[in-house]
Amino acid sequence: MTAKEYLSQAYRLDQRIDSNIAEITRLREMACGISSPSWEEKVQTSRNTDAPFVRCLEKIMDLEKVVNSEIDTLVDLKRQIRTTVDTVANVNERMVLRYRYIHNMTWEQIGDELHADRTTVLNADESTIRRWHKAALSAVVLPTDPIRI
């Protein structure tokens, strides 16, 4: 696993948590909705006695357990990433890593925070922020037992 792959895990896990929370919200809306009665004649050999919203509530509870577990993993991962990033010697490089991988900021936001102009270039393709990022990634020492998602 490369340093960039390791550090990028927190962002992906955060996205997965957001997606699961959005699904929980939709399930809650379904559970609170009122279904219209059916006036057609039904022939069933076995009858389901549960209210229709019960299945939604069960799915919500299961998904909430998953989200809580993922949040615990995210907190542990960010703690480990923070410790790893703190070992980078250069302050600017360290701050780029913190803003990018702990705070999930864009390159433009990082440039604003560090007062580094995005158009300040060493060559046609590389800004100061990206140069610091590249140098910081090469300085990162992965933990002996990194969290993997």
Side-chain angles (χ1 to χ4, degrees), residues 27 30-37 42 48-59:
L27 286 171
M30 288 173 49
C32 294
I34 300 172
S35 59
S36 62
K42 291 184 180 179
N48 185 1
T49 58
D50 291 337
F53 64 88
V54 171
R55 278 183 309 204
C56 286
L57 294 177
E58 289 171 350
K59 288 179 185 178

Side-chain angles (χ1 to χ4, degrees), residues 38-94:
S38 175
W39 301 107
E40 298 173 5
E41 184 176 335
K42 291 184 180 179
V43 178
Q44 287 183 321
T45 56
S46 63
R47 184 177 164 168
N48 185 1
T49 58
D50 291 337
F53 64 88
V54 171
R55 278 183 309 204
C56 286
L57 294 177
E58 289 171 350
K59 288 179 185 178
I60 289 170
M61 289 187 299
D62 292 342
L63 201 50
E64 283 176 339
K65 288 177 187 174
V66 169
V67 167
N68 288 334
S69 173
E70 287 177 339
I71 289 171
D72 291 342
T73 302
L74 180 63
V75 168
D76 293 340
L77 179 61
K78 282 198 175 190
R79 182 181 310 119
Q80 192 178 64
I81 288 173
R82 200 172 298 110
T83 303
T84 302
V85 166
D86 286 343
T87 63
V88 174
N90 183 294
V91 175
N92 290 327
E93 294 171 4
R94 186 170 53 237

Side-chain angles (χ1 to χ4, degrees), residues 5-148:
E5 290 170 340
Y6 168 70
L7 296 170
S8 297
Q9 293 183 110
Y11 178 73
R12 292 290 171 218
L13 184 55
D14 200 24
Q15 284 183 320
R16 199 163 69 198
I17 291 168
D18 288 344
S19 172
N20 285 338
I21 289 172
E23 187 175 346
I24 288 171
T25 301
R26 284 191 300 275
L27 286 171
R28 281 196 176 119
E29 289 170 359
M30 288 173 49
C32 294
I34 300 172
S35 59
S36 62
S38 175
W39 301 107
E40 298 173 5
E41 184 176 335
K42 291 184 180 179
V43 178
Q44 287 183 321
T45 56
S46 63
R47 184 177 164 168
N48 185 1
T49 58
D50 291 337
F53 64 88
V54 171
R55 278 183 309 204
C56 286
L57 294 177
E58 289 171 350
K59 288 179 185 178
I60 289 170
M61 289 187 299
D62 292 342
L63 201 50
E64 283 176 339
K65 288 177 187 174
V66 169
V67 167
N68 288 334
S69 173
E70 287 177 339
I71 289 171
D72 291 342
T73 302
L74 180 63
V75 168
D76 293 340
L77 179 61
K78 282 198 175 190
R79 182 181 310 119
Q80 192 178 64
I81 288 173
R82 200 172 298 110
T83 303
T84 302
V85 166
D86 286 343
T87 63
V88 174
N90 183 294
V91 175
N92 290 327
E93 294 171 4
R94 186 170 53 237
M95 292 310 295
V96 168
L97 292 179
R98 287 181 69 84
Y99 287 140
R100 184 71 176 171
Y101 298 108
I102 295 174
H103 301 295
N104 298 329
M105 290 182 163
T106 65
W107 297 117
E108 291 79 18
Q109 291 170 326
I110 296 169
D112 291 343
E113 285 293 320
L114 296 177
H115 305 291
D117 189 7
R118 198 173 144 254
T119 59
T120 305
V121 291
L122 297 174
N123 61 43
D125 298 325
E126 196 168 37
S127 69
T128 303
I129 299 299
R130 291 189 187 253
R131 181 175 47 88
W132 287 341
H133 178 255
K134 186 176 179 180
L137 287 178
S138 65
V140 166
V141 177
L142 292 178
T144 55
D145 189 23
I147 296 173
R148 296 176 191 260

